[in-house]
Amino acid sequence: MATLLHDAVMNPAEVVKQRMQMYNSPHRSALSCIRTVWGTEGLGAFYRSYTTQLTMNIPFQSIHFITYEFLQEQINPYRGYNPQSHIISGGLAGALAAAATTPLDVCKTLLNTQENMALSLANISGRLSGMANAFRTVYQLNGLPGYFKGVQARVIYQMPSTAISWSVYEFFKYFLTKHKLENRTPY
């Protein structure tokens, strides 16, 4: 449920961010981008990649959590507070999840940006919609390597993010648990 709600809010923000990042973007501010996209394409443009986003984030989170837990079992079997193990496990879990879901991210980006050059090279007129169409278009344009464009950047972005997130989570879990145990009143 958290992923469903998160993506419902963040998908429009991602559309605006990606449209503004495009080469020769006509948008000079986020507000002008929102107005233009809303006016020319309607509300649906902000959710065109929502199912792709969910299809990417649910496997990402699954791989991420399973890998983190597996690595913690290997390098921190007693599950004590160990910042080094949390950083290593968190970073590697994020890297694996990012790499494994890059094909979905590539398709999501194509759906969000509706990149004109890519669409014209694929002989697509109008708007590209649907994950299946995005997968076909990426393959048509670049073959299998096209699904992994930007994989290094995604891994480099996710590794420190997930390492920091897990380290902070584990620190506060340790701190709050320790504080609660210390302040417990004996019977």
Side-chain angles (χ1 to χ4, degrees):
M1 284 306 295
T3 300
L4 289 172
L5 294 174
H6 171 271
D7 289 353
V9 172
M10 293 308 296
N11 208 83
E14 183 80 0
V15 170
V16 171
K17 177 188 73 98
Q18 289 177 342
R19 298 262 179 131
M20 291 184 69
Q21 288 176 334
M22 289 173 52
Y23 178 73
N24 278 338
S25 173
H27 311 292
R28 298 294 167 235
S29 72
L31 192 54
S32 79
C33 181
I34 292 167
R35 285 183 183 138
T36 302
V37 171
W38 185 287
T40 59
E41 300 176 52
L43 179 64
F46 295 103
Y47 290 96
R48 191 176 285 125
S49 65
Y50 182 63
T51 55
T52 305
Q53 183 82 13
L54 288 175
T55 305
M56 180 181 68
N57 283 346
I58 291 170
F60 179 93
Q61 294 299 344
S62 299
I63 293 166
H64 178 206
F65 278 86
I66 290 168
T67 304
Y68 180 80
E69 290 298 324
F70 173 78
L71 291 171
Q72 281 296 288
E73 286 294 321
Q74 303 308 305
I75 62 177
N76 188 11
Y78 298 109
R79 302 305 274 235
Y81 176 63
N82 180 335
Q84 185 177 0
S85 79
H86 305 314
I87 290 169
I88 292 167
S89 297
L92 291 175
L96 181 61
T101 57
T102 295
L104 297 165
D105 191 46
V106 168
C107 293
K108 178 196 69 153
T109 300
L110 180 59
L111 288 170
N112 278 348
T113 61
Q114 297 291 309
E115 210 279 309
N116 288 330
M117 180 65 79
L119 297 180
S120 66
L121 285 173
N123 293 321
I124 296 173
S125 60
R127 303 270 175 231
L128 180 67
S129 64
M131 187 169 50
N133 289 329
F135 267 96
R136 277 191 290 276
T137 303
V138 169
Y139 185 79
Q140 179 184 351
L141 293 172
N142 296 301
L144 287 177
Y147 294 118
F148 291 94
K149 284 189 174 228
V151 67
Q152 297 92 345
R154 234 170 103 67
V155 167
I156 290 168
Y157 174 82
Q158 285 296 335
M159 278 185 83
S161 174
T162 53
I164 291 166
S165 293
W166 279 111
S167 298
V168 171
Y169 167 77
E170 293 287 357
F171 169 76
F172 278 103
K173 185 172 85 172
Y174 166 76
F175 177 78
L176 294 172
T177 303
K178 181 181 175 199
H179 184 70
K180 185 177 181 181
L181 291 174
E182 288 174 354
N183 292 332
R184 209 168 37 170
T185 55
Y187 289 96

